[in-house]
């Protein structure tokens, strides 16, 4: 009877107790408005808590009748405390948006990996500050751990899974940006567009990206600049240049600005290369980004950029030794003349962000991009090609013993290009009850004027090559034209994301969309459907007796049809003519990947793997020389790219992240009209100009090359970024960059792609930096002016620690017999740099 009364009393009191609580619910989002999975939501000072689901939704019971603090936290974002008071039985909705975490500049936490199912890898822009690199902390240094190939430390260009740099999308604040058109070599490029000091968040995708991103075939780099909440700044100075930036909120925090200036020079580095002369490279860049809250629902923004890059060289001499033990060669060149390239770029963008309600966000952007580029050089080179003594016992070992060729060449160019691009863009984001819907469109006007005037003549032993038939001088290469292109592009997209949970606790996410683009120049319209399916199982493992933890796995499959409508350089052929019949290149992506987050030595680690296959149609073949890309302007090839990318990142040293990546790639193409004839003499010998004595052809055989490697075919690529600190002196740190990649294809100077099947040497490079914290360490006292400095470091960097000669290109020397010699052009040798960085 007592038990019965107890149960009855409990039954009556439970509803009363429940009435003493309330409920808060809602959705957690990131700064872009995307749902955040696995955010922690807890009542401060109690054990009540929950986590957000794959769609960012949460529901939490809290005490009623008094104010409580609800803590929203996630490893990728700043922790937010929200005071809430509810009445008994009340259910209140909360919409929470995170801001990015501000971290110490040298650290990259593995636990900050954010999974949203969109296929983008979140990167920390501050780690590049301490990565030893000739790029001086550029954004491209962050891509070292991604599936990219960068074989030129002087260039900001990178290749992704068999594509060239023109196949990569780069966005800053949702606006596509460009690099110089006329650039021939990495040292001419100057500073890349994004300023790392101004970046708040950066994301990267190597394939299978969503429809909201544009029409390219290889990758997406998505960058957003800061909206500062407090005054801060930084300054750096090194032997390679310097930078300064300041950020602050004003007008009660409604107006925010971040402004940065960069200066870079590579004079000391270039002076150490094989080509000796008077170098004067100067690269400057000024950027500013302002935002203003017109109201709680409307934000105005402005982004302005001006850059001026100058590269000047008066070459004097060059001496290059190369070859093998069987044949060691030396090229000596004496120069006259001068080379000067100059790029001026201006960019401006106005944007309006409107948020009519908590579920809807609309963005409107008007931008203008303009560039003026000039390339002027007249350089006379008089060369001597010699064979070196290779007998180790000879007193003349390593000295010249025989002349193989003597001659000269004259290179001349007077090129000028100006381009103007106007773009109007609209993007929309809508949170629906069961999905996240996005749409957008843009219209772009392009005006490009190009004046080309360049030629090249070669003289060997007093004979002009090729030999003239009459009195006129026949040039080895000549290009002269005036080109104008005016066109309009119209693009639009829609996409939706659905997330659902299964009864066993697993979660699925599906993103599907379609985008279309029309270009008035060739009249082509392309339609690109894309989809991505992600699965996260609720697997668990036993870590100790009676204790289970989640085995954090994710799997995904992505596919889509990715078109790349041509831009100006793709429609200009090797002879300087515009071809309006060039169509969009096509790439069909198939990606299958997984990752796992786990702990080793009680530290966070993440392992990821992704296999891919790309079907390539309507390819526009091209020739690659250093960083200069020259297209055939003809869709006469098809091909494929396949491979596997692996990456492991985590805290190999407690509190500091490092990573290692390995990529395996194979990419080939088949040109439709590249058949050729092999010619044979009366003795049945294959006639090779410059080598075969009897060059009278009596027979020929038709050859079909079939599939040949694309210019970016590099079978293996390995990268390592490792950081360490002294156990007893944590203010001393070491940063190591290591690269290894196999050779890429190249060939003799001709219009025949099938000849580009030779391979360069492997690329090996080690850069190392040593850093010491001068100010900002725990317990360190700062007085006077130093009290305004939050953190200060000094670094000593050694580039190309092993002093390995890496080849970026070849200069071909021809003698009067028609024999070609490929002379390697080496990248930079070992150099030392001193850098000081301060934050305030």
């Amino acid at each position: 009877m007592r038990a019965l009364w107890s149960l009855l009393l409990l039954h009556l009191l439970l509803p009363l107790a429940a009435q003493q609580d309330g409920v808060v619910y809602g959705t957690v989002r990131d700064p872009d408005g995307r749902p955040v999975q696995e955010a922690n939501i807890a009542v401060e000072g109690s054990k009540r808590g929950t986590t957000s689901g794959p769609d960012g939704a949460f529901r939490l019971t809290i005490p009623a009748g008094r104010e409580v603090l609800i803590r929203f936290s996630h490893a990728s974002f700043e922790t937010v405390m929200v005071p809430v008071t509810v009445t008994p039985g009340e259910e209140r909705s909360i919409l929470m948006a995170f801001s990015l975490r501000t971290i110490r500049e040298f650290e990259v936490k593995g636990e900050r990996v954010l999974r949203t199912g969109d296929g983008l890898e979140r990167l920390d822009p501050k780690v590049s500050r301490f990565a030893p690199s000739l790029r001086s902390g550029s954004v491209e240094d962050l891509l070292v751990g991604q599936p990219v190939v960068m074989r030129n430390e002087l260039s900001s260009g990178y290749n992704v899974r068999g594509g060239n740099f023109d196949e990569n999308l780069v966005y800053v604040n949702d606006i596509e940006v460009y690099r110089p058109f006329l650039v021939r070599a990495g040292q001419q490029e100057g500073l890349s567009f994004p300023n790392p000091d101004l970046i708040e968040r950066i994301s990267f995708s190597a394939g299978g990206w969503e429809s909201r991103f544009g029409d390219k075939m290889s990758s997406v780099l998505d960058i957003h600049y800061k909206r500062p909440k407090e005054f801060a700044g930084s300054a750096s100075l090194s032997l390679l240049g310097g930078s300064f930036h300041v950020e602050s909120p004003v007008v009660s925090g409604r107006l925010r600005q971040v402004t940065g200036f960069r200066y870079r020079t590579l004079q000391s580095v270039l002076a150490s290369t094989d080509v000796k002369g008077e170098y004067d490279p100067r690269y400057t860049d000024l950027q500013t980004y302002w935002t203003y809250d017109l109201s709680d629902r409307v934000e105005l923004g402005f982004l302005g950029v001006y850059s001026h890059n100058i590269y000047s060289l008066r070459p004097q001499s060059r001496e290059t030794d190369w070859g093998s033990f069987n044949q060691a060669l030396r090229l000596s060149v004496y120069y006259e003349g001068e080379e000067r390239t100059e790029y001026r770029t201006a960019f401006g963008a106005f944007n309006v962000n409107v948020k009519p309600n908590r579920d809807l966000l609309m963005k409107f952007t008007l931008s203008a991009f303009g560039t003026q580029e000039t390339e002027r050089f007249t350089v006379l080179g008089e060369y001597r090609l010699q064979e070196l003594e290779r007998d180790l016992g000879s007193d003349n070992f390593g000295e010249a013993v025989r002349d193989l060729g003597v001659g000269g060449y004259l290179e001349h160019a007077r090129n000028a290009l100006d381009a103007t691009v106007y773009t109007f863009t609209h993007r929309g984001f809508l949170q629906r009850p069961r999905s996240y819907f996005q749409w957008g469109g843009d219209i772009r006007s392009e005006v490009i004027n190009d004046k080309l005037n360049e030629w090249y003549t070669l003289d060997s032993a007093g004979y002009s090559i090729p030999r003239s038939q009459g009195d006129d001088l026949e040039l080895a290469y000549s290009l002269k034209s005036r080109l104008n292109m005016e066109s309009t592009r119209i693009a639009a997209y829609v996409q939706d994301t659905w997330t659902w949970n299964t009864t066993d606790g697993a979660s699925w996410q599906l993103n599907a969309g379609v985008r279309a683009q029309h270009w008035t120049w060739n009249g082509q319209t392309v339609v690109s459907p894309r989809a991505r399916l992600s699965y996260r199982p609720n697997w668990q493992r036993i870590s100790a007796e009676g204790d289970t933890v989640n085995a954090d796995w994710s799997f995904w499959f992505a596919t889509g049809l990715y078109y790349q409508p041509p831009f100006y350089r793709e429609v200009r052929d090797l002879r300087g003519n515009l071809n309006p019949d060039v169509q969009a290149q096509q790439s069909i992506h198939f990606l299958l990947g997984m990752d796992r987050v786990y702990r080793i030595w009680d530290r966070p680690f993440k392992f990821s793997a992704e296999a891919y296959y790309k079907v390539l149609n309507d390819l526009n073949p091209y020739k690659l020389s250093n960083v200069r890309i020259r297209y055939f302007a003809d869709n006469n090839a098809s091909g494929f790219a396949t491979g596997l990318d692996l990456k492991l990142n985590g805290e190999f040293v407690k509190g500091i992240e490092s990573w290692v990546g390995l990529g395996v790639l194979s990419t080939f193409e088949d040109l439709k009209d590249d058949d050729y004839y092999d010619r044979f003499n009366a003795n049945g010998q294959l006639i090779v100009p410059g080598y075969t004595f009897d060059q009278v052809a009596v027979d020929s055989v038709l050859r079909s090359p079939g599939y040949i490697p694309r210019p970016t075919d590099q079978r293996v690529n390995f990268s390592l970024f490792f950081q360490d600190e002294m156990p007893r002196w944590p203010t001393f740190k070491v940063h190591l960059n290591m690269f290894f990649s196999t050779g890429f294809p190249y060939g003799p100077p001709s219009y025949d792609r099938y000849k580009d099947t030779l391979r360069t040497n492997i690329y090996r490079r080690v850069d190392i930096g040593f850093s010491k914290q001068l100010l900002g360490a725990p317990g360190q006292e700062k007085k006077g002016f130093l009290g305004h400095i939050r953190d200060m470091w000094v670094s000593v960097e050694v580039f190309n620690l092993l002093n390995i000669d890496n080849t970026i290109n070849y200069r071909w020397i021809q003698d009067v017999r028609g024999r070609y010699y490929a002379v390697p052009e080496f990248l930079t040798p070992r150099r030392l740099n001193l850098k000081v960085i301060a934050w305030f």
Side-chain angles (χ1 to χ4, degrees):
M1 196 67 178
R2 289 179 180 176
L4 181 61
W5 281 107
S6 298
L7 289 173
L8 181 61
L9 182 62
L10 183 62
H11 178 72
L12 294 174
L13 291 178
L14 278 176
L16 295 177
Q19 292 299 316
Q20 303 305 312
D21 291 336
V23 174
V24 292
Y25 68 94
T27 303
V28 183
R29 301 191 182 281
D30 67 7
D32 285 332
R34 292 187 290 267
V36 175
Q37 183 177 350
E38 292 191 347
N40 297 309
I41 304 100
V43 177
E44 189 72 6
S46 75
K47 296 183 178 180
R48 299 189 184 191
T50 184
T51 58
S52 59
D55 57 354
F58 70 93
R59 185 179 180 87
L60 176 65
T61 301
I62 65 173
R66 62 183 177 88
E67 184 180 84
V68 297
L69 286 176
I70 301 179
R71 184 178 69 252
F72 293 84
S73 62
H74 191 281
S76 295
F77 305 102
E78 294 279 6
T79 298
V80 179
M81 307 294 291
V82 179
V84 178
T85 303
V86 296
T87 59
E90 179 185 0
E91 295 192 3
R92 179 173 298 182
S93 173
I94 295 178
L95 181 62
M96 226 295 297
F98 276 121
S99 61
L100 284 202
R101 179 186 298 275
T102 302
I103 62 172
R104 295 185 66 182
E105 282 72 8
F106 60 85
E107 294 180 336
V108 188
K109 299 292 186 181
E111 294 174 310
R112 289 197 308 274
V113 175
L114 174 62
R115 288 172 174 158
T116 60
D118 57 5
L120 295 173
E121 180 81 9
R122 305 304 192 264
L123 307 176
D124 177 17
K126 297 182 177 63
V127 71
S128 64
R129 279 291 197 173
F130 285 87
S133 168
L134 280 174
R135 302 181 188 91
S136 301
S138 70
V139 170
E140 289 74 23
D141 291 328
L142 297 172
L143 302 179
V144 171
Q146 304 304 315
V148 305
V149 176
M150 289 183 286
R151 285 188 56 114
N152 188 343
E153 63 268 15
L154 298 174
S155 170
S156 60
Y158 54 90
N159 304 327
V160 180
R161 294 177 175 175
N164 64 42
F165 186 76
D166 290 344
E167 299 176 21
N168 302 322
L169 284 165
V170 181
Y171 288 96
V172 174
N173 290 356
D174 298 326
I175 304 167
E176 185 177 354
V177 298
Y178 311 91
R179 77 166 181 172
F181 293 84
L182 296 181
V183 62
R184 292 173 182 258
Q187 59 266 31
Q188 299 174 350
E189 285 185 25
L191 297 162
S192 63
F193 188 100
N195 186 336
D197 295 330
L198 278 56
I199 295 176
E200 182 177 59
R201 59 189 183 275
I202 178 173
S203 305
F204 178 77
S205 173
W209 57 86
E210 300 174 348
S211 298
R212 62 191 174 100
F213 295 114
D215 296 292
K216 292 291 181 73
M217 298 196 299
S218 289
S219 73
V220 170
L221 185 63
D222 188 28
I223 298 170
H224 289 268
Y225 281 178
K226 297 177 182 178
R227 291 177 170 85
K229 296 182 179 179
E230 60 184 7
F231 177 82
S234 69
S236 69
L237 184 65
S238 76
L239 300 179
L240 302 180
S243 66
F244 175 82
H245 105 277
V246 61
E247 56 188 79
S248 62
V250 291
V251 191
S252 301
R254 298 181 65 180
L255 178 65
R256 299 164 295 272
Q257 70 83 27
V258 54
T259 301
F261 172 79
R262 293 180 292 170
Y263 172 77
R264 184 187 182 200
T265 178
L266 295 174
Q267 185 173 7
S268 61
V269 175
L270 297 176
S272 64
T273 59
D274 285 349
V275 178
K276 307 301 179 183
E278 299 177 11
Y279 288 91
D280 185 18
R282 288 169 288 155
Y283 319 115
T284 55
D285 172 89
L286 177 64
Q287 302 191 21
T288 185
Y289 179 50
W290 294 72
T291 57
Y292 177 70
D293 294 333
L294 194 62
S295 68
D296 293 339
R297 299 181 182 274
V298 180
E299 178 191 73
L300 305 180
F302 169 75
L303 172 63
V305 179
Y306 176 78
S307 66
H308 187 197
N309 299 326
I310 299 176
Y311 173 78
S312 177
L313 168 63
R314 290 183 177 179
Q316 297 171 350
S317 64
R318 169 185 178 178
E319 185 173 280
T320 302
D321 294 344
W322 83 102
S324 62
F325 184 78
N326 293 327
Q327 186 180 36
L329 302 174
R330 171 178 294 166
L331 176 69
S332 301
V333 187
Y334 299 94
Y335 294 104
E336 296 180 27
E338 183 178 2
E339 173 185 350
R340 181 183 176 90
T341 58
E342 185 172 1
Y343 311 131
R344 296 178 184 268
T345 300
F347 176 86
F350 294 90
N351 70 278
V352 180
N353 298 338
V354 182
K355 194 173 181 61
N357 55 63
R358 68 180 186 181
D359 295 326
L360 177 61
L361 172 64
M362 295 183 292
K363 298 182 178 182
F364 304 89
T365 304
L366 180 63
S367 65
F369 167 84
T371 181
Q372 294 180 339
E373 304 177 14
T374 59
E375 179 184 46
R376 299 173 180 272
F377 59 81
T378 301
V379 177
L380 171 64
E382 297 174 318
Y383 68 85
R384 180 182 296 272
L385 182 63
Q386 299 170 303
E387 186 174 7
L388 304 181
E389 177 61 64
R390 58 184 185 273
D391 184 0
L392 296 176
S394 173
D395 294 336
N396 297 323
F397 176 74
E399 299 297 328
V401 295
R402 184 163 65 98
D403 287 337
L404 299 178
V406 177
Y409 57 86
L410 180 62
E411 294 178 305
H412 173 89
R414 295 292 185 270
N415 299 328
L417 180 144
D418 63 83
T420 304
V421 180
Y422 298 100
T423 306
F424 175 76
T425 303
H426 165 61
R427 291 172 179 255
F429 310 83
L430 176 64
Q431 179 62 53
R432 304 167 70 184
R434 295 186 178 182
S435 66
Y436 186 50
F437 183 69
Q438 300 178 56
W439 71 93
D442 62 72
I443 180 169
R444 181 184 308 172
S445 172
E446 302 165 351
V447 179
I448 298 175
N449 296 292
D450 191 8
K451 178 182 177 182
L452 297 168
N453 181 12
E454 58 184 61
W455 49 264
Y456 172 81
T457 183
L458 176 64
D459 177 274
S460 179
Y463 292 92
S464 174
I465 300 177
R467 294 187 180 183
S468 303
Q469 300 300 321
D471 296 333
D472 296 332
L473 175 65
E474 185 176 350
L475 300 175
Y477 166 75
S478 176
L479 178 61
K480 188 173 183 178
S481 63
R482 288 178 177 267
L483 305 174
N484 172 265
M485 188 176 76
E486 299 182 11
S487 62
T488 302
R489 299 177 194 265
I490 303 174
Y493 71 89
V494 293
Q495 69 175 58
D496 209 346
T497 304
W498 300 267
T499 305
W500 66 96
N501 299 321
T502 60
T503 55
D504 60 355
S507 63
W508 292 82
Q509 187 174 88
L510 174 64
N511 175 278
V514 63
R515 71 176 292 117
Q517 182 181 135
H518 176 77
W519 192 31
T520 59
W521 175 259
N522 60 8
Q524 184 185 21
T525 301
V526 296
V527 180
S528 304
R530 305 171 186 179
R532 183 181 185 90
L533 179 65
S534 303
Y535 171 63
R536 188 171 186 183
N538 188 29
W539 294 343
Q540 296 181 340
R541 63 181 178 86
I542 298 177
S543 62
E545 185 175 355
D547 186 16
T548 60
V549 297
N550 289 329
D552 199 347
W553 293 80
S554 286
F555 302 89
W556 60 85
F557 172 77
T559 186
L561 179 58
Y562 294 83
Y563 283 98
Q564 181 167 323
F567 198 44
Y568 169 70
R569 291 199 302 179
E570 284 97 319
V571 300
R572 193 186 75 185
D573 64 20
L574 299 175
R575 295 172 175 82
N577 302 312
L578 297 182
N579 181 7
D581 296 325
V582 176
Q583 302 293 294
Q585 300 180 85
Q586 181 192 96
S587 177
I588 306 175
H589 291 196
F590 298 96
L591 290 85
L592 183 64
M594 59 77 61
D595 66 34
R596 184 188 178 191
V597 178
Y598 54 96
R599 302 186 73 84
I600 303 177
W601 310 309
D602 199 30
R603 302 171 197 161
F605 284 83
K606 177 186 175 183
F607 173 76
S608 59
E610 190 169 66
Y612 58 91
Y613 186 85
K614 298 193 288 188
V615 180
L616 308 175
N617 296 314
D618 295 327
L619 290 179
N620 188 349
Y622 59 91
K623 304 278 286 187
L624 180 62
S625 176
N626 203 314
V627 299
R628 188 188 191 192
I629 303 173
R630 297 186 301 154
Y631 291 89
F632 283 52
D634 190 7
N635 301 102
N636 64 336
S638 60
F640 67 88
T642 184
L644 174 67
D645 290 315
L646 307 173
K647 181 184 176 183
L648 174 66
N649 63 292
E651 296 183 8
F652 293 91
V653 176
K654 188 174 182 179
I656 307 176
E657 180 173 327
S658 303
W659 59 71
V660 58
L662 175 66
V664 181
L665 163 71
S666 178
T667 180
F668 283 76
E669 65 184 9
D670 183 13
L671 278 68
K672 299 177 182 177
D673 51 1
D674 62 345
D675 294 344
Y676 67 95
Y677 284 92
D678 274 338
R679 299 181 304 124
F680 298 88
N681 59 25
N683 296 324
Q685 295 176 324
L686 176 65
I687 297 177
V688 179
Y691 291 87
T692 309
F693 179 78
D694 182 5
Q695 298 196 22
V696 179
V698 298
D699 195 9
S700 62
V701 176
L702 179 65
R703 304 293 189 189
S704 180
Y707 280 94
I708 59 175
R710 303 194 74 200
T712 53
D713 179 55
Q714 293 180 263
R715 299 303 173 85
V716 179
N717 183 61
F718 173 85
S719 62
L720 169 70
F721 178 62
F722 181 78
Q723 300 185 98
D724 197 1
E725 65 181 23
M726 301 294 184
R728 296 185 180 180
W729 300 282
T731 59
F732 286 93
K733 301 190 182 295
V734 179
H735 319 272
L736 179 71
N737 264 332
M738 183 182 297
F739 309 93
F740 171 87
S741 58
T742 53
F744 58 85
Y746 74 99
S750 70
Y751 296 146
D752 300 321
R753 265 286 291 127
Y754 67 85
K755 295 181 180 179
D756 300 343
T757 56
L758 304 173
R759 292 277 177 172
T760 64
N761 295 329
I762 59 176
Y763 180 88
R764 297 155 294 169
R765 185 177 177 89
V766 177
D767 299 326
I768 191 169
F770 303 90
S771 301
K772 172 66 173 72
Q773 189 176 19
L774 302 180
L775 296 173
Q780 191 175 38
E781 184 178 358
K782 295 180 290 184
K783 297 181 180 180
F785 172 77
L786 298 179
H788 298 285
I789 299 178
R790 175 169 53 90
D791 206 359
M792 185 173 182
W793 290 76
V794 60
S795 297
V796 176
E797 301 172 326
V798 184
F799 305 129
N800 196 0
L801 178 65
L802 304 181
N803 202 28
I804 298 174
D805 290 330
N806 290 306
T807 303
I808 186 58
N809 196 31
Y810 289 87
R811 173 174 288 278
W812 292 84
I813 300 297
Q814 186 181 15
D815 61 20
V816 293
R817 296 171 298 176
R819 177 177 297 184
Y820 281 99
Y821 296 88
V823 183
E825 296 184 349
F826 297 124
L827 289 166
T828 57
R830 183 191 299 120
R831 300 303 294 171
L832 189 69
N833 185 41
L834 178 66
K835 180 168 62 176
V836 179
I837 311 176
W839 291 267
F840 52 88

